[in-house]
Amino acid sequence: MSKAVTTTNFNFPKQKGVYHGKVREVYNIDDNYMVMIASDRISAFDHILPKGIPFKGQVLNQVATMFLKATEDIVPNWLIGTPDPMVAVGHKCEPFKVEMVIRGYLAGHSAREYKKGERVLCGVELPEGMKENDKFPEPIITPATKADEGHDEDISREEIIKQGIVSEEDYIQLENYTRALFQRGTELAAEKGLILVDTKYEFGKKDGKIYLIDEIHTPDSSRYFYADGYEERQAKGEAQKQLSKEFVRQWLIENGFQGLDGQTMPEMPDEFVETVTERYIELYEKIVGEKFQKDSTDNLNERIEKNVVEFLTSEGLV
């Protein structure tokens, strides 16, 4: 099997620190810039799975880069450049402590809550009589607090403003950006025969200005359905054909794991790991519209370090 990058330990010029997230390794450069390495780790139910997925980081980084460039007319974003297939370099922003989740369809978490009988999600009323994967009359924003550890928690717009997590003025701007980005993402997905079901955006501030940060419209942060056959599948009550991480969650559920106390993470057979790689590549090729070029997985860490140092130096960032 190809190698996977599951951890890094670099020491870049003017490095001030490093944050190891669930999937990303984020290096602070001189408190001004960030080197974000998309590792091949995969998480679900807020737990990191025991094996990395070869080429997943490259897929995520390249899809996110494409969408950041395709939306920079809507909102300024943090990205400066991508010196390596697995790396993005950009501005260091102070992140807002909320994730802006927007849903066009009753799927995933919202469908699970709906099945329990919930009709209000993050302060938003849900219509009666919906089936899983039905389209909402209009997209709904269901924010979540960003947890440093453990689970992100649902929260309403009212609570975010009341608790002072985000000022009302900024929050209104975040909502406007979120709706405009989702509309653009929906249009770009439709061009490729896909439906953008739901996604999340993260924002930050630098010098008083709001920036879009992190990745957008990737299979880790978004759910996609195939448009072809969507209506027929809904009418028959069949599961939707989708491109997202949901199949990994379903595999975990089938193997007795949902991240709950007392549950044990199942072992991942090599065949399943290869299937996950194939699904990520399938999404890349479907959404980008071109064949995925697998980069060499030999000497990955040496390659990443060399490319990043050259970029930081040539761009005058260090």
Side-chain angles (χ1 to χ4, degrees):
M1 284 180 67
S2 299
K3 297 189 191 75
V5 174
T6 54
T7 185
T8 69
N9 186 26
F10 296 119
N11 191 6
F12 297 122
K14 296 196 177 177
Q15 182 175 313
K16 290 283 185 77
V18 59
Y19 167 72
H20 299 281
K22 289 192 201 97
V23 172
R24 272 164 215 78
E25 314 267 87
V26 184
Y27 290 82
N28 173 349
I29 307 298
D30 205 25
D31 286 333
N32 279 314
Y33 306 105
M34 291 195 316
V35 172
M36 191 182 285
I37 297 165
S39 79
D40 292 322
R41 293 194 297 273
I42 186 166
S43 73
F45 300 118
D46 289 319
H47 285 70
I48 297 167
L49 276 63
K51 289 184 182 174
I53 307 298
F55 303 108
K56 174 182 174 284
Q58 184 186 340
V59 165
L60 289 192
N61 194 51
Q62 292 183 332
V63 170
T65 298
M66 183 191 91
F67 280 116
L68 286 169
K69 289 178 176 169
T71 55
E72 59 191 5
D73 59 316
I74 295 173
V75 52
N77 66 60
W78 74 287
L79 187 68
I80 296 171
T82 49
D84 184 272
M86 297 179 75
V87 181
V89 176
H91 297 282
K92 183 178 184 296
C93 303
E94 184 62 38
F96 289 103
K97 294 282 188 183
V98 292
E99 292 182 344
M100 299 299 285
V101 181
I102 182 164
R103 304 174 184 278
Y105 294 74
L106 182 70
H109 173 62
S110 64
R112 289 190 281 271
E113 292 298 304
Y114 199 86
K115 272 183 190 162
K116 291 180 195 168
E118 296 292 337
R119 291 298 179 268
V120 176
L121 187 62
C122 303
V124 180
E125 286 197 27
L126 306 177
E128 287 291 345
M130 291 187 76
K131 300 199 310 289
E132 184 170 2
N133 300 331
D134 275 354
K135 187 175 185 179
F136 287 119
E138 62 178 58
I140 63 170
I141 293 177
T142 58
T145 56
K146 270 192 70 60
D148 291 330
E149 285 182 20
H151 292 269
D152 298 335
E153 299 285 344
D154 288 349
I155 190 169
S156 67
R157 169 192 186 155
E158 290 69 29
E159 277 300 308
I160 289 168
I161 294 167
K162 184 177 153 192
Q163 292 181 29
I165 299 169
V166 181
S167 72
E168 185 168 11
E169 181 186 1
D170 281 346
Y171 191 79
I172 289 167
Q173 184 65 72
L174 296 188
E175 280 197 333
N176 291 339
Y177 280 149
T178 296
R179 292 192 186 281
L181 288 165
F182 190 69
Q183 179 60 34
R184 176 70 55 81
T186 298
E187 291 162 4
L188 292 169
E191 289 171 9
K192 300 292 193 295
L194 294 171
I195 293 169
L196 179 58
V197 177
D198 53 36
T199 192
K200 71 177 177 71
Y201 304 112
E202 297 188 36
F203 297 92
K205 255 190 174 179
K206 184 175 185 177
D207 302 328
K209 184 173 167 183
I210 294 175
Y211 286 81
L212 176 62
I213 60 173
D214 204 33
E215 62 178 30
I216 66 165
H217 299 163
T218 70
D220 268 24
S221 64
S222 317
R223 194 184 320 266
Y224 289 92
F225 291 157
Y226 281 91
D228 186 33
Y230 166 79
E231 298 288 355
E232 294 88 332
R233 285 188 286 272
Q234 278 306 94
K236 292 177 185 171
E238 294 174 358
Q240 286 298 332
K241 190 178 178 203
Q242 58 176 302
L243 278 173
S244 74
K245 217 167 53 170
E246 188 64 22
F247 76 97
V248 177
R249 294 188 195 99
Q250 289 303 326
W251 180 84
L252 288 169
I253 290 169
E254 286 161 17
N255 284 273
F257 186 82
Q258 291 188 66
L260 303 175
D261 288 343
Q263 294 184 336
T264 305
M265 176 76 72
E267 282 299 311
M268 292 169 69
D270 288 347
E271 304 77 58
F272 180 66
V273 171
E274 286 176 22
T275 300
V276 181
T277 288
E278 286 161 13
R279 291 287 286 270
Y280 270 89
I281 289 173
E282 180 189 358
L283 187 131
Y284 175 93
E285 293 182 345
K286 184 72 183 165
I287 206 149
V288 175
E290 58 188 49
K291 191 152 177 59
F292 180 72
Q293 302 296 326
K294 288 182 177 177
D295 221 80
S296 167
T297 59
D298 293 335
N299 303 319
L300 268 172
N301 283 358
E302 292 89 336
R303 182 196 80 197
I304 289 169
E305 184 168 33
K306 176 177 174 288
N307 288 342
V308 169
V309 171
E310 284 178 0
F311 180 83
L312 292 174
T313 307
S314 66
E315 292 291 312
L317 304 183
V318 292

